[in-house]
Amino acid sequence: MTIIDRTTVDEQDFNTLIPVDCRNVMDDMTASLDRIAESPVEGAVHIPQYPWMFDDEGLNHGRHPVPVRSIVEKLHESLVQASGEVPLLFDDEQQFFHTRLYYLFRLYGLDAMLWNDSVDSLETLSTSFGSTTPALPGPNQSRTGDYSDVQIGLLVLMEDVKEAVHDEDVLLIDVRSRERYLGLEEPIDRKMGHIPGAVNIPYGSFFTAGRMDFASHEHMRHFLDSFKEIIVYCGSGMSATPPFLVLQEMGLPVRLYGGSFSEWITDDNNTIETGDAPLNERILSLNE
């Protein structure tokens, strides 16, 4: 079992788990450190976003590129100091920094566990963890690795998406807010709208009471099962990781578009749609 919560905690040997605090404020290191200082978890090591969760010299473009293998491996190596130890990643409720790091570890075949519950519930277990807090390496690390290093079944690049928009057997899911999907507003990126043909299943719908809900989209299973592949994306590939995990836990053939919408718009040859895609009407009817 790699995703745990308070209901499955008794099945784990906490002495082998390294608590990894992934709480952050997007693109703001100072605010991130202030957030941790407000409610530190004893024995946990905090992971900054850069370069461990995204890196300018990563595999794709957009706002938050996927780091290359050497960066992710170096971080994992610093966390796991003894045989049998496994990082346990946690975050605030309904957040995505822990799921992003969990996804990156899996992308490169590295062991990790994910805490799908509140920080408060984890704090009650803090005395069960080992006594050693790992030290992180410095951010100035060599970058080696390319797309051939990743678990291909987990990641797609922009060229893959360019083909997918013409394939009726592939479903593109945009998990941003409905307003951003429709092209009514865009607070971050320079263009508005969505990748052609994509449907909109907003981020928040994958959670119940702040936790990823792996049964949240069972009512859509027949629809989702009708596609040979599902590609999920957001603005930059960060917040799409919880929806990716929910869909994967459902047993669906899902991959993450690492560059997401912020990379898609870097190529002016890529078209953008606004308003509802015809297929999205089926999504809306399923949610009524």
Side-chain angles (χ1 to χ4, degrees), residues 89-209:
L89 317 181
F90 67 91
D91 202 340
D92 288 321
E93 295 180 50
Q94 201 158 324
Q95 282 297 323
F96 53 79
F97 295 104
H98 61 330
T99 57
R100 169 66 169 201
L101 189 56
Y102 179 71
Y103 170 81
L104 292 176
F105 284 155
R106 288 187 57 193
L107 190 65
Y108 293 109
L110 303 168
D111 288 339
M113 298 185 73
L114 188 73
W115 182 250
N116 186 36
D117 216 321
S118 69
V119 175
D120 288 343
S121 63
L122 184 65
E123 285 180 324
T124 64
L125 304 166
S126 61
T127 57
S128 301
F129 292 117
S131 58
T132 303
T133 301
L136 293 184
N140 296 322
Q141 301 292 324
S142 63
R143 270 73 167 170
T144 58
D146 55 31
Y147 183 56
S148 66
D149 292 323
V150 308
Q151 302 286 335
I152 301 298
L154 302 181
L155 178 71
V156 297
L157 299 179
M158 183 162 61
E159 294 306 312
D160 302 310
V161 179
K162 286 183 178 182
E163 294 181 8
V165 297
H166 302 294
D167 190 339
E168 294 182 353
D169 291 325
V170 178
L171 177 66
L172 286 165
I173 299 178
D174 185 324
V175 303
R176 296 174 302 158
S177 70
R178 182 153 174 76
E179 290 75 20
R180 293 179 72 186
Y181 167 81
L182 292 173
L184 299 177
E185 66 176 31
E186 181 47 66
I188 304 173
D189 293 313
R190 63 184 178 87
K191 294 183 180 180
M192 298 192 299
H194 59 264
I195 297 173
V199 301
N200 180 223
I201 306 179
Y203 176 85
S205 68
F206 292 87
F207 294 82
T208 297

